[in-house]
Amino acid sequence: MEKEKADIRKLALKEIVSFCEENSLKSFRGKQVYEWLWKRSAKTFDEMNNLPKNARQIFSTQFVINPLQISNIQKSKDGTIKTAFKLFDGGLVEGVMIPSEKRATACISSQVGCNLACTFCATGKLKLLRNLGPGEIYDQLVVIKQQAKEHNNTPLSNIVLMGMGEPLLNYKNVLQAINNMISEKGLGLSPRRITLSTSGVIKGIMKLADENVKFNLAVSLHTADNDKRNRIMPVNKTNPLDKLAKAIQYFHEKTGKRITFEYLLLKDFNDSLADAQKLAEYCKIVPCKVNLIEFNATGDGLFKKSPKLKTEAFYNFLESKNMVVNIRSSRGEDIDAACGQLANRAGSEKVKK
Ligand code: SAH
Ligand code: SF4
């Protein structure tokens, strides 16, 4: 049987350069290949026309490129565009372009499904089928960047890893994808525009701190009460709020960055003023801002959106404590493109395990 070829976009630049040296190719060929892969989104080695034919052949006998394919595009009445991407093994993930007047945000996925099973999240109802490779994470952004230009006539102003999956449980590939988004050899985006959202994976937060990353960190808190958090986010059982606080403080010390806390308002569960008071206390651990997120229905009726008056009271309470707070309203709800609604059940089931 033919040996399975490796996905070349899992290799760092220096690994591609060493591959060239080991195969009697000039080392600058490695840089050229890298640019074709990341800056020019080449889908085949054949199109790398500044490489000699034998070099292209050597690469294609050893490696594959595995580009993402667009499987379906849906447009919401508010202009939000959701794209389903087909992976080489048949799996599907989703990415979203969220336009506004002068800017556009890209929301991208890091895993097919998610094992963390938060009870309010549609992705959490799918098992984790596999991690996305660095190229698969990056390609979503290339497509969404183009959509922002074509449909909204704006560049991308923000990139959020808030689609399907827990990015810190696919640490290496996510970091490689982000590094290429930032690198001049890739998209050359400013790291300040990129936000990674985690449900609170302590080990991953510590690692980001040690690497002194330049992009932003958002933590999906949703409640500052440890028992309540255990009930809606199983990840909290092994990553409890007190230990999470220490990791977040460490991240802030190392990077100097302000943290974003995400707080999903669930009717009669975490939307009282006592809950707001607890949140305000917890937030004292670091300089931060709070995004209050409206709950988007996921079909099981387990939770309901907090009523407008309660949301406002919650917001006003935090503001009265001089906290930086925003209310994030849903976008693209009519096409299941809003936070927590990305699932694509039918497609994901096709992935071979
Ligand atoms: N796994 C990461 C990133 C993906 S989820 C995380 O949990 O942070 C992105 C955001 O969507 C998280 O803040 C998550 O809590 C939120 N979310 C999940 N389900 C939601 C729902 N039904 N309505 C609104 N937001 C939801
Ligand atoms: Fe996974 Fe995030 Fe959904 Fe929780 S909210 S199940 S961590 S994708």
Side-chain angles (χ1 to χ4, degrees):
M1 216 174 78
E2 203 188 334
K3 184 173 146 254
E4 213 174 297
K5 295 179 190 177
D7 175 357
I8 189 155
R9 286 191 296 178
K10 287 192 175 160
L11 265 54
L13 172 59
K14 63 174 190 294
E15 292 170 307
I16 300 182
V17 170
S18 339
F19 175 83
C20 287
E21 286 158 1
E22 283 155 22
N23 286 276
S24 317
L25 297 170
K26 298 250 165 51
S27 58
F28 76 91
R29 298 291 179 204
K31 284 197 194 108
Q32 285 178 320
V33 169
Y34 199 82
E35 283 214 4
W36 274 106
L37 293 172
W38 296 101
K39 207 181 182 86
R40 303 168 82 165
S41 293
K43 292 186 168 55
T44 62
F45 291 105
D46 259 353
E47 63 196 270
M48 303 184 179
N49 57 19
N50 56 357
L51 253 72
K53 208 158 176 220
N54 76 316
R56 283 182 256 163
Q57 247 161 11
I58 292 173
F59 273 99
S60 58
T61 53
Q62 301 280 333
F63 298 107
V64 283
I65 298 182
N66 285 341
L68 273 195
Q69 282 173 23
I70 295 176
S71 155
N72 189 29
I73 297 181
Q74 284 171 278
K75 195 166 179 182
S76 155
K77 53 181 191 285
D78 69 16
T80 299
I81 295 178
K82 178 168 89 168
T83 307
F85 296 98
K86 189 166 183 188
L87 310 175
F88 73 93
D89 56 3
L92 285 169
V93 289
E94 296 177 327
V96 186
M97 193 279 289
I98 307 149
S100 56
E101 214 178 302
K102 292 207 182 92
R103 47 185 240 174
T105 298
C107 174
I108 57 178
S109 295
S110 56
Q111 297 183 310
V112 190
C114 180
N115 258 353
L116 295 184
C118 302
T119 55
F120 45 80
C121 173
T123 310
K125 298 195 171 44
L126 308 168
K127 283 201 298 280
L128 173 69
L129 294 175
R130 73 166 170 87
N131 285 331
L132 294 186
E136 293 170 327
I137 299 167
Y138 182 92
D139 282 355
Q140 297 171 62
L141 192 60
V142 173
V143 170
I144 295 173
K145 188 167 180 265
Q146 189 59 27
Q147 289 173 341
K149 198 167 150 208
E150 276 170 23
H151 295 265
N152 205 43
N153 204 16
T154 55
L156 280 180
S157 52
N158 294 302
I159 296 97
V160 295
L161 278 120
M162 290 188 190
M164 297 164 71
E166 168 49 56
L168 294 185
L169 293 182
N170 182 15
Y171 189 92
K172 189 164 176 260
N173 293 349
V174 165
L175 265 276
Q176 197 185 333
I178 295 180
N179 285 337
N180 280 310
M181 291 171 194
I182 295 168
S183 162
E184 284 307 321
K185 292 191 185 67
L187 293 174
L189 297 169
S190 160
R192 284 184 318 234
R193 298 186 183 284
I194 302 174
T195 302
L196 181 153
S197 173
T198 178
S199 55
V201 177
I202 290 174
K203 223 169 124 188
I205 296 173
M206 305 289 284
K207 239 165 132 182
L208 291 177
D210 286 332
E211 288 190 36
N212 196 7
V213 296
K214 301 284 181 274
F215 53 84
N216 306 304
L217 179 68
V219 177
S220 298
L221 206 59
H222 306 327
T223 166
D225 179 295
N226 204 56
D227 292 333
K228 276 194 191 178
R229 203 164 188 268
N230 280 340
R231 272 152 57 199
I232 56 169
M233 300 179 74
V235 67
N236 193 65
K237 292 179 186 154
T238 42
N239 297 263
L241 281 174
D242 52 347
K243 291 199 176 118
L244 180 60
K246 295 219 164 68
I248 292 169
Q249 281 171 327
Y250 183 66
F251 179 87
H252 173 70
E253 272 163 34
K254 286 272 180 173
T255 64
K257 287 203 151 285
R258 183 168 77 163
I259 309 293
T260 301
F261 286 119
E262 289 166 285
Y263 195 101
L264 184 55
L265 284 163
L266 302 167
K267 183 171 186 270
D268 297 334
F269 181 79
N270 64 358
D271 61 347
S272 72
L273 290 185
D275 291 306
Q277 171 70 50
K278 264 205 147 164
L279 174 62
E281 276 303 310
Y282 192 82
C283 286
K284 285 183 186 157
I285 58 172
V286 276
C288 64
K289 71 169 180 186
V290 174
N291 280 340
L292 299 176
I293 311 176
E294 287 182 355
F295 174 65
N296 300 306
T298 53
D300 56 12
L302 213 55
F303 291 106
K304 290 202 166 46
K305 186 170 165 168
S306 179
K308 203 163 175 240
L309 276 178
K310 273 204 142 176
T311 302
E312 278 168 11
F314 201 97
Y315 172 89
N316 290 336
F317 180 89
L318 297 180
E319 254 215 329
S320 75
K321 301 277 174 205
N322 294 322
M323 293 170 64
V324 183
V325 50
N326 298 299
I327 300 183
R328 251 189 24 211
S329 53
S330 301
R331 299 287 304 271
E333 229 177 331
D334 54 330
I335 54 165
D336 280 352
C339 279
Q341 290 187 319
L342 304 184
N344 229 314
R345 234 150 283 180
S348 300
E349 277 161 12
K350 286 187 211 140
V351 185
K352 286 178 253 146
K353 274 211 103 175

